[in-house]
């Protein structure tokens, strides 16, 4: 029986658009993930602390307000500072392709833009989890 | 024609040509239901309407008359087209001012001001929570000074309409606007102001709340009653189905939930003794126009009719009062795809057609690049031109409610109204919108609809071109708008300068007055106006209000 992974879905900053993240939460639950959703308006500090405390395998951050470079940057930095860079970071929302490429260079595993199917998301996260455990 | 004769003819058709056709080809399963789950019959005839007890005089009537199914205006678009609008605003005040001047020079009739998120949730640009969000999806307005700069060289009374997307902080924005009109020296009643001012939908969907629901309704009501008494021609509240729909609700839920919120506001306005015959005609509804063409057109007609029927008796107003909601239709951002984005021009055009056929008073088209970022100027121009083409070249506005009487459309209209009414009754049974919010009723039902939709798209049951059908592996890059990098620093510097230069004693006195009035039932707008005139900031004013009202926090799923 494969390990059931824990994933924290989060909304950082002031952006309240959470249709995407809520649908992904339901989809991941149906795909046998253990999902924790932070609710809206969280600070990067809160998200990272909660992720460490809850011992999650991954964080999925949703941003539609354009503040993605800032928020992902802070979260990745905090994870490194707290020796928790092994927690995988995923993202979704309204993120221009150039920024998505930049975020991947910074260490975000995948950016799931509008129109991504649940199947693609689940497959990508599962693959990352396998790679993570193989290390 | 005689009904029996017609029934006989239909039977002959069913047993003849229809049966033969069905023997040769199976029907697409997708035909059976609309996206909101309404059954689609194969064919609609006068009999369909007859079975539903349809009555022309009662169910349609005439444009500009109860129950407003055929529109709010007796002339439709024969005298004036709907207002061509465009949601815009970004960066700091100077940048927003530049974009507004450009749009006005291109034939846009009014201005719709988008505020950035910190402003929407009552934070100053230098608040730590605002970091990275200043000027991002709207203009930063931390004080009256910012609004003065936004409208620099744009006399307020020269615009057909100024629309302010202000909700949780709408009372403060109204106060700033009153102060601004005075500063510009324009007669305030020569301006037409529309304020969104629907805070309940922030709890249900969009999330830009500040205070808990109950004090939030009080602020909303302050705006409505203040305008009813002092500026009766303004539009002090817009019932928002749009955000509820974009959060994943279906068309019926959009109608039901926005109108349930409308009843919550109007009950409070009536309780405070405002003249309902003045308030009700100034109401508008902010609706989404999504892709299912007929369901959307029917939705607008059902919404108008249901609202008029709900409020006529509830508030006991006479037949002379216009209860036809003024419709602000906005094409659905969520229907735009990041895949093959040029296709979005077509989607927006189709949605604009549906919006107009539903009888809107103003129309906002999305821009093709919104699945990536705030639109570029070029994309915004195509969106504006789309509705100009529809208005001037298609003849769509040459007769009033051209689709009225369509067997299919009227059947859908009836069904949407009927189902939405049931949902409103459910909300009322829970004790109204505020109670339903507390119990998670809306969010639960919306989640269910949005997940259901996602599953239909993922399984291919609903085809979306470029997403799950006709995909392309490689796509050419698209030019993307970048908000100017220095905005946040510039905005913070100007805010700090303001705090040093203003009369801080006057600010403190004004804030103390706001706090005192907030604790009573007195209307807050005059005290807020004094505070903004003293250049008290958004964050400072919301700070004292938070100390009285408390703050809303959302729990986890």
């Amino acid at each position: 029986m494969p390990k059931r992974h824990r994933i924290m879905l989060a909304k950082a900053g002031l952006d309240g658009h959470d249709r995407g993240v809520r649908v992904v939460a339901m989809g991941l639950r149906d795909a046998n993930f253990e999902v924790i959703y932070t609710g809206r308006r969280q600070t990067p500090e809160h998200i990272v602390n909660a992720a460490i405390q809850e011992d999650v395998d991954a964080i999925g951050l949703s941003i539609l307000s354009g503040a993605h470079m800032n928020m992902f940057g802070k979260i990745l930095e905090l994870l490194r500072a707290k020796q928790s860079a092994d927690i995988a970071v995923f993202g979704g929302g309204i993120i221009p392709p150039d920024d998505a490429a930049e975020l991947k260079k910074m260490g975000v595993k995948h950016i799931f833009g509008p129109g991504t199917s649940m199947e693609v998301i689940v497959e990508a996260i599962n693959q990352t989890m396998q790679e993570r455990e193989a290390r | 024609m005689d009904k029996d004769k017609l029934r006989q003819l239909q039977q002959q058709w069913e047993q003849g040509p229809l049966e033969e056709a069905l023997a040769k080809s199976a029907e697409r399963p997708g035909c059976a239901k609309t996206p909101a789950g309404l059954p689609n019959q194969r064919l609609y005839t006068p009999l369909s309407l007859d079975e539903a007890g349809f009555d022309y005089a009662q169910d349609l009537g005439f444009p500009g008359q109860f129950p407003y199914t055929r529109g709010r205006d007796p002339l439709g678009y024969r005298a004036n087209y709907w207002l061509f609008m465009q949601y815009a605003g970004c960066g700091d005040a100077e940048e927003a001012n530049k974009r507004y001047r450009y749009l006005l020079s291109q034939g846009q009739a009014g201005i719709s001001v988008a505020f950035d998120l910190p402003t929407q949730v009552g934070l100053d640009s230098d608040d730590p929570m605002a970091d990275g969000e200043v000027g991002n999806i709207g203009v930063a307005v931390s004080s009256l000074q910012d609004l003065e700069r936004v409208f620099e060289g744009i006399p307020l009374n020269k615009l057909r309409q100024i629309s302010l997307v202000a909700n949780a902080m709408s009372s403060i924005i109204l106060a700033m606007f009153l102060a601004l009109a005075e500063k510009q020296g324009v007669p305030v009643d020569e301006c037409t102001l529309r304020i969104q001012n629907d805070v309940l939908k922030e709890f249900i969907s969009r999330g830009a709340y500040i205070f808990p629901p109950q004090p939030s309704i009080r602020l909303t009501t302050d705006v409505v009653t203040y305008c009813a008494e002092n500026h009766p021609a303004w539009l002090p509240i817009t019932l928002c189905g749009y955000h509820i729909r974009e959060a994943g609700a279906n068309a019926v839920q959009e109608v039901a939930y926005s109108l349930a919120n409308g009843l919550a506001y109007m009950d409070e306005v009536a309780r405070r003794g405002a003249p309902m015959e003045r308030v009700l005609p100034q109401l508008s509804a902010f609706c989404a126009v999504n892709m299912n063409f007929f369901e959307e057109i029917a939705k607008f007609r059902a919404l108008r009719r249901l609202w008029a029927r709900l409020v006529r008796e509830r508030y006991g107003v006479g037949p002379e009062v216009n209860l036809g909601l003024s419709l602000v239709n906005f094409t659905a951002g969520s229907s735009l795809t990041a895949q093959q984005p040029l296709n979005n021009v077509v989607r927006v055009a189709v949605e604009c057609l549906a919006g107009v056929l539903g009888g809107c008073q103003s129309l906002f088209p999305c821009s093709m690049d919104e699945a990536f970022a705030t639109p570029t100027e070029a994309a915004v121009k195509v969106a504006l031109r789309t509705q100009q083409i529809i208005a001037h070249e298609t003849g769509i506005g040459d007769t009033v409610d051209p689709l009225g009487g369509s067997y299919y459309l009227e059947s859908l209209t009836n069904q949407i109204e009927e189902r939405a009414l049931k949902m409103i009754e459910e909300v009322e049974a829970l004790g109204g919108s505020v109670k339903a919010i507390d119990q998670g009723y809306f969010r639960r039902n919306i989640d269910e609809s949005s997940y259901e939709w996602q599953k239909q798209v993922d399984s291919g049951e609903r085809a979306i071109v470029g997403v799950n059908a006709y995909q392309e592996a490689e796509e050419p890059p698209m030019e993307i708008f970048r908000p100017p990098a220095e905005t946040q620093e510039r905005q913070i510097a100007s805010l700090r300068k303001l705090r040093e230069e203003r009369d801080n004693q006057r600010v403190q006195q004004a804030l103390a007055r706001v706090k005192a009035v907030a604790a009573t039932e007195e209307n807050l707008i005059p005290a807020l106006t004094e505070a903004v005139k003293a250049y008290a900031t958004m964050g400072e004013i919301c700070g004292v209000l938070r100390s009285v009202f408390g703050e809303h926090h959302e729990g986890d799923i």
Side-chain angles (χ1 to χ4, degrees), chain B residues 15-35:
Chain B
Q15 289 163 355
L18 176 65
E19 215 163 274
E20 279 170 40
L22 283 173
K24 282 185 210 146
S25 12
E27 293 180 319
R28 288 176 291 109
C31 302
K33 277 184 180 174
T34 70

Side-chain angles (χ1 to χ4, degrees), chain B residues 188-225:
Chain B
V188 72
D189 281 318
E190 281 181 16
C191 316
T192 304
L193 196 66
R194 173 194 295 283
I195 314 172
Q196 196 165 84
N197 196 29
D198 174 358
V199 72
L200 290 176
K201 62 98 167 46
E202 300 296 343
F203 300 98
I204 296 174
S205 51
R206 203 174 62 138
Y209 40 69
I210 306 174
F211 316 107
Q214 206 57 59
S216 296
I217 289 196
R218 180 263 175 98
L219 291 173
T220 294
T221 316
D222 278 354
V223 170
V224 175
T225 54

Side-chain angles (χ1 to χ4, degrees), chain B residues 2 13 34 50 54 67 76 100 106 152 172 209 213 223 355 406 416 418 478 519 527 529 531 537 545 556:
Chain B
D2 175 53
W13 171 76
T34 70
D50 208 44
F54 178 80
Y100 293 145
Q106 295 299 308
E152 181 96 48
I172 300 163
Y209 40 69
V223 170
S406 147
I416 293 174
E418 204 174 293
M478 193 156 195
T529 309
T537 65
L545 292 178
D556 295 354

Side-chain angles (χ1 to χ4, degrees), chain B residues 503-516 527 530-531 534:
Chain B
D503 176 349
N504 276 303
Q505 202 185 344
R506 189 177 155 207
V507 172
Q508 290 315 318
Q509 282 166 356
L511 289 174
R513 170 98 186 112
V514 168
K515 190 170 177 174
E530 285 315 305

Side-chain angles (χ1 to χ4, degrees), chain B residues 267-339:
Chain B
D267 285 355
E268 181 62 11
V269 169
R271 191 189 68 80
R272 286 171 63 171
M276 296 310 281
E277 68 284 355
R278 256 204 212 180
V279 172
L280 291 169
Q282 298 311 105
L283 252 54
S284 27
F286 183 57
C287 311
V289 202
N290 219 305
M291 283 300 286
N292 193 281
F293 196 64
F294 288 101
E295 184 172 78
E296 294 302 302
I297 299 169
K299 177 189 76 183
F300 302 120
R301 305 168 86 249
L303 176 99
R304 264 194 310 262
R305 182 162 81 197
L306 178 54
W307 177 254
R309 284 175 168 166
L310 281 170
V311 297
R312 189 156 77 160
E313 277 179 36
R314 195 174 178 113
Y315 305 115
V317 291
E320 75 288 355
V321 178
N322 190 341
L323 298 175
L325 285 171
S326 163
L327 298 193
V328 182
N329 287 357
F330 205 127
T331 69
S334 64
S335 70
L336 304 180
T337 65
Q339 296 76 11

